Amino acid sequence: MFKSGFIAIIGKPNVGKSTLLNRLVGEKVAITTHKPQTTRNRITGIRNLENAQLVFVDTPGIHRAHTILNRFLVDTARQAFMNADLILCLTDAGKEPDEDDRMIFESLREMTVPVFLVINKIDLLKKEALLPLIDAYRTRYPFREIIPLSALKGFNVDRLIGCTVDLLPEGPPHFHPDLFTDLPERFLAAEMIREKLTLITQREVPYAAAVVIDQFKDDEAKNLIRIQAAIYVEKESQKGILIGRKGQMLKEIGRQARIDMEAFFSARIYLELFVRVRKNWTREARWLHEFGYGGKSGTS
Ligand code: GDP
Ligand code: MG
């Protein structure tokens, strides 16, 4: 008997959804940073077991949306959980639940598919605080399971996998068992660059940046991949920040991204980065679409 299904990972920004996805899959398919709203697309990560295939779908954090980029993020998250066999709703053990958490928990009451509450970041919680916390959730909401874990440290993730397999429907695998993601290489490369620039730059710059791969040439004979990528920002001033004094900032982003790419693609990488300005792209449907954040959810 083989089981397979789609599992949506949802929750507020920054609760650790992408970290959990990577832990569940055992590969870094999703970028993660300490800044909220790092994830912008639906990210699929596949865990292949002997008797099951678990297709996890990481989503942008759910929050009250203001710009159209933000609306796209929230819509992408909602679409993912409409099509799931199981929903993992994450919360951060280190923080009191707020309005946004409650909005998400309440909206899940109407779901017909089972929902697990995953209390993440228990490494930040005092041991004696855990049981009362679980009890409080159990009395308030109809979660099928409540699973405390640490995505970062890997505590209790096996239990989550076990409970997930139990609930999945019988069926053949949706993807080839060698795959751990359905995302194209170009998309993964662009995301690695976006992770580094998000970590290195300050204030609004990460939120104003999109990365587009202009060229991705795999020279298999030389085990070399040549990548040309453009970072788009909204203002000249942001372009200046990204390039930095004597180009130092851009060079550092490229250096760090290249290290990750070489490990991920098991090849030497020749990476060239350019910075371009598209005024107010986060507010214009045309540009959003161009940068992979429009139309149907997923990647471009
Ligand atoms: P997302 O926005 O929900 O996808 O959150 P990320 O996966 O990008 O993680 C947000 C931040 O929380 C990052 O700095 C992670 O390292 C951190 N984080 C994720 N899981 C854990 C955890 O189990 N324990 C701790 N202490 N930090 C975590
Ligand atoms: Mg994320």
Side-chain angles (χ1 to χ4, degrees):
M1 182 181 90
F2 198 87
K3 289 182 153 194
S4 73
F6 288 85
I7 304 113
I9 304 177
I10 67 157
K12 271 192 327 183
N14 229 27
V15 293
K17 297 178 295 299
S18 300
T19 306
L20 179 64
L21 176 81
N22 292 339
R23 176 66 69 178
L24 288 163
V25 172
E27 294 280 348
K28 185 164 170 170
V29 284
I31 61 170
T32 61
T33 80
H34 57 289
K35 295 180 187 173
Q37 294 170 49
T38 299
T39 307
R40 291 182 181 165
N41 302 80
R42 205 187 120 107
I43 308 285
T44 310
I46 304 161
R47 175 68 177 261
N48 293 293
L49 302 172
E50 216 159 272
N51 57 348
Q53 183 177 70
L54 284 51
V55 184
F56 295 100
V57 181
D58 181 21
T59 62
I62 297 174
H63 60 282
R64 276 159 278 174
H66 299 298
T67 66
I68 57 171
L69 173 61
N70 283 333
R71 274 209 294 282
F72 166 78
L73 300 184
V74 173
D75 288 346
T76 302
R78 290 200 192 285
Q79 276 166 26
F81 72 81
M82 293 316 217
N83 297 317
D85 297 296
L86 170 68
I87 293 171
L88 306 181
C89 175
L90 259 69
T91 182
D92 181 337
K95 290 195 182 135
E96 286 292 313
D98 64 8
E99 265 311 301
D100 283 336
D101 285 299
R102 279 189 286 272
M103 172 188 88
I104 296 168
F105 298 155
E106 289 299 333
S107 71
L108 292 172
R109 282 183 193 280
E110 290 137 48
M111 300 303 296
T112 47
V113 295
V115 182
F116 291 175
L117 179 69
V118 174
I119 305 178
N120 188 29
K121 309 196 188 184
I122 55 164
D123 54 296
L124 300 177
L125 198 67
K126 289 203 192 80
K127 268 215 173 77
E128 58 275 18
L130 187 58
L131 284 180
L133 186 65
I134 294 174
D135 278 343
Y137 280 117
R138 186 163 288 141
T139 52
R140 232 162 281 163
Y141 301 102
F143 293 113
R144 181 71 70 97
E145 296 276 356
I146 298 179
I147 301 171
L149 55 75
S150 169
L152 191 68
K153 311 271 179 190
F155 304 151
N156 219 24
V157 175
D158 287 347
R159 179 160 162 238
L160 172 61
I161 292 176
C163 294
T164 299
V165 173
D166 287 345
L167 273 192
L168 286 188
E170 269 179 58
H174 295 278
F175 295 94
H176 192 280
D178 287 344
L179 287 179
F180 56 83
T181 184
D182 66 346
L183 296 168
E185 289 177 327
R186 280 175 170 256
F187 175 83
L188 294 165
E191 288 286 271
M192 289 180 218
I193 296 164
R194 205 163 59 76
E195 179 182 75
K196 300 314 172 195
L197 78 84
T198 301
L199 289 169
I200 298 174
T201 63
Q202 308 296 319
R203 292 198 295 274
E204 91 284 6
V205 179
Y207 306 102
V211 179
V212 174
I213 303 292
D214 290 334
Q215 194 193 74
F216 189 105
K217 269 201 189 144
D218 195 348
D219 186 342
E220 282 182 27
K222 291 192 181 140
N223 193 31
L224 174 73
I225 304 175
R226 291 173 201 277
I227 299 172
Q228 279 181 2
I231 303 172
Y232 287 90
V233 286
E234 293 194 301
K235 295 178 186 160
E236 287 296 336
S237 60
Q238 294 160 349
K239 177 174 171 176
I241 292 169
L242 265 178
I243 292 173
R245 276 194 58 198
K246 295 187 181 158
Q248 281 306 310
M249 179 71 94
L250 194 62
K251 208 168 152 190
E252 183 57 19
I253 292 167
R255 190 186 68 82
Q256 293 188 18
R258 189 168 43 77
I259 292 172
D260 279 16
M261 288 173 180
E262 291 192 333
F264 190 87
F265 294 115
S266 303
R268 282 182 303 133
I269 304 285
Y270 180 73
L271 176 63
E272 275 183 292
L273 291 178
F274 304 91
V275 184
R276 298 187 191 127
V277 178
R278 283 287 175 277
K279 290 223 158 48
N280 295 323
W281 72 263
T282 60
R283 293 167 196 283
E284 277 187 44
R286 174 169 67 114
W287 291 119
L288 285 167
H289 193 82
E290 182 94 4
F291 298 159
Y293 308 124
K296 73 176 174 54
S297 71
T299 61
S300 65

